[in-house]
Amino acid sequence: MLLPRIRPPSQGLLQALTNPLPPSKTSINHLPTLHLLRPSRTPNLTLTHHRHASHQTQGRANGAKDGPGKRLGAKKSGEQYVIPGNIIFRQRGTHWFAGDNCGMGRDHTIYATETGYVKYYKDPERHPKRKYIGVVFERGDVLPLPRNAARRRRLGMVGVVRDGETVAAEEEIGLGGVIGVVGAEREVVGKGKVALVKRELKIRPGYMYREANWEIGRAAERAKVKVKAFKPGDRFTAWRKTVARRARTAQNRAMRRK
């Protein structure tokens, strides 16, 4: 870019210096050269250099080329003890599926939901090709379990076959007095009064023999205990409850700090 503009003046200057001529001839014959050497009235053009990017500055060009490994694979081996929440297998995709007492996260991570021992197995009745990971409560248990086999419950209980006499005896005494049954007697304690009242206890959700919710709510009425009626506009009572609750909270915090 610079050579075409610098070449004519430089050649004229070198020729004038190497071939000296009389003053009269120099002033006449070398006018074009002097004219070229005279500073121009037009502003000089400045040289600007534009650097074009040779690499993309954003997007996929600057992504990880060979990033660190994601530590996929088995974290717990077969028959290894786990607790709820332990990660058993990390994977991309569903190479393994969650079986008994296991769950699968949104990134296909399989984790334990119960305390027990890990088992890797296949279940042809469930799916002919899938591989499953499960957790059993006893190390010697084998998965998959038969379709109609008795399973151990989450509370650590095992189904046991009982005879009719044992069942009848437990129903009479209300399972040791802890859980009542239909027609069992319940003890009601009032202000200085004790009475035995027969209540009809029905099985409720959760396999519990208990009274209905509305009957439990009227326990104070049955015991003849007077309860102060709630007044939405009674701000003094609400303030007293708030102060008492804050005092209990402060006391509990002080005990925890010790």
Side-chain angles (χ1 to χ4, degrees):
M1 295 294 294
L2 298 177
L3 293 178
R5 302 177 65 87
I6 297 175
R7 189 173 180 181
S10 61
Q11 286 183 352
L13 180 60
L14 292 174
Q15 186 177 2
L17 294 175
T18 54
N19 300 323
L21 295 176
S24 59
K25 292 184 179 181
T26 304
S27 59
I28 297 173
N29 298 332
H30 292 274
L31 286 178
T33 304
L34 296 176
H35 177 72
L36 293 174
L37 293 175
R38 186 177 61 184
S40 176
R41 296 181 181 179
T42 60
N44 295 329
L45 298 177
T46 58
L47 298 177
T48 58
H49 183 264
H50 295 280
R51 180 182 181 276
H52 298 281
S54 59
H55 188 274
Q56 292 185 0
T57 57
Q58 294 181 359
R60 62 184 180 181
N62 292 327
K65 277 72 176 179
D66 189 8
K70 303 306 177 184
R71 280 67 176 175
L72 305 178
K75 307 304 176 185
K76 300 292 182 180
S77 59
E79 298 187 359
Q80 190 170 352
Y81 184 78
V82 292
I83 62 175
N86 282 164
I87 295 175
I88 302 175
F89 202 94
R90 282 194 177 276
Q91 57 185 342
R92 290 292 179 267
T94 52
H95 300 286
W96 293 86
F97 288 83
D100 294 350
N101 302 319
C102 285
M104 181 181 292
R106 62 180 183 178
D107 60 346
H108 308 109
T109 298
I110 297 178
Y111 58 92
T113 57
E114 297 296 333
T115 302
Y117 301 91
V118 179
K119 295 288 183 179
Y120 294 82
Y121 65 98
K122 285 187 177 182
D123 192 353
E125 295 184 8
R126 192 173 178 182
H127 197 279
K129 296 182 179 180
R130 288 184 179 179
K131 298 178 291 185
Y132 295 92
I133 300 176
V135 173
V136 296
F137 298 102
E138 298 293 339
R139 188 186 295 270
D141 293 346
V142 180
L143 291 177
L145 297 174
R147 297 299 104 183
N148 299 323
R151 286 170 168 77
R152 183 171 176 177
R153 303 305 176 187
R154 295 184 178 181
L155 297 178
M157 300 181 180
V158 181
V160 179
V161 179
R162 299 182 298 171
D163 54 357
E165 296 179 359
T166 306
V167 176
E170 289 181 354
E171 288 183 354
E172 278 188 22
I173 63 175
L175 295 180
V178 179
I179 302 177
V181 293
V182 177
E185 293 183 351
R186 300 295 297 272
E187 185 176 0
V188 180
V189 180
K191 287 187 177 181
K193 295 182 180 180
V194 178
L196 295 178
V197 182
K198 289 186 178 181
R199 298 296 178 190
E200 184 179 357
L201 307 180
K202 296 182 179 180
I203 189 169
R204 301 293 177 181
Y207 298 98
M208 294 185 296
Y209 284 96
R210 63 178 180 84
E211 300 162 333
N213 292 333
W214 66 271
E215 293 179 347
I216 297 173
R218 299 184 63 182
E221 182 180 349
R222 292 199 307 268
K224 297 182 180 180
V225 177
K226 293 184 180 180
V227 181
K228 187 177 180 180
F230 174 73
K231 296 181 181 180
D234 191 358
R235 303 304 305 166
F236 179 70
T237 303
W239 173 80
R240 286 194 306 173
K241 291 182 179 180
T242 303
V243 171
R245 184 175 64 253
R246 290 177 179 175
R248 290 193 302 269
T249 303
Q251 184 179 2
N252 294 336
R253 288 180 179 175
M255 293 177 63
R256 285 197 297 266
R257 290 173 183 173
K258 293 180 180 179

